[in-house]
Amino acid sequence: GALLDETQFHERADSILAHLHDAVDAADLDDVDDVALEDGVFGVKLLDGAAFVINKHFATRQIWYASPVSGALYFSAAEGGLWTCEARGGETLERVFEADLVKVCPAAAAVDFRRSGA
């Protein structure tokens, strides 16, 4: 992917993290205990103790992803404002997070993670 300068990296990373946070937060899922976004770290904690942590990693210009389903993955900026994971064949952050979240919280299937105008 194209290497972003510092400003672009933060803008794009903040945008996707805020989007994911807002989508989960607005869904008000019963299985979700806590949803937080602070200092470039987006976390989702489930009532059963499972947790997702998705955060900006400035040194590598990536978004680091930790999930109870997929483990650790790394997403890089791609064309069209997307964040993709090479290890997952270019799958987008939204797709991977959505699939993982639905596996541990089936009600999340109703959440729309697509970004309008992205």
Side-chain angles (χ1 to χ4, degrees), residues 72-89:
L73 295 171
Y74 307 96
F75 290 81
S76 301
E79 295 302 313
L82 299 172
W83 291 88
T84 58
C85 180
E86 246 177 73
R88 293 284 290 260

Side-chain angles (χ1 to χ4, degrees), residues 19-97:
H19 165 70
L20 294 175
H21 170 271
D22 293 350
V24 174
D25 199 38
D28 199 20
L29 300 162
D30 288 343
D31 293 338
V32 173
D33 182 36
D34 188 48
V35 181
L37 177 58
E38 199 173 328
D39 297 328
V41 180
F42 166 52
V44 177
K45 210 175 331 178
L46 302 179
L47 290 172
D48 67 6
F52 291 83
V53 179
I54 306 175
N55 64 286
K56 298 194 292 189
H57 193 261
F58 177 65
T60 59
R61 303 283 206 281
Q62 289 177 315
I63 290 179
W64 288 13
Y65 174 89
S67 125
V69 179
S70 293
L73 295 171
Y74 307 96
F75 290 81
S76 301
E79 295 302 313
L82 299 172
W83 291 88
T84 58
C85 180
E86 246 177 73
R88 293 284 290 260
E91 261 194 296
T92 65
L93 177 58
E94 292 101 312
R95 291 273 309 269
V96 173
F97 176 60

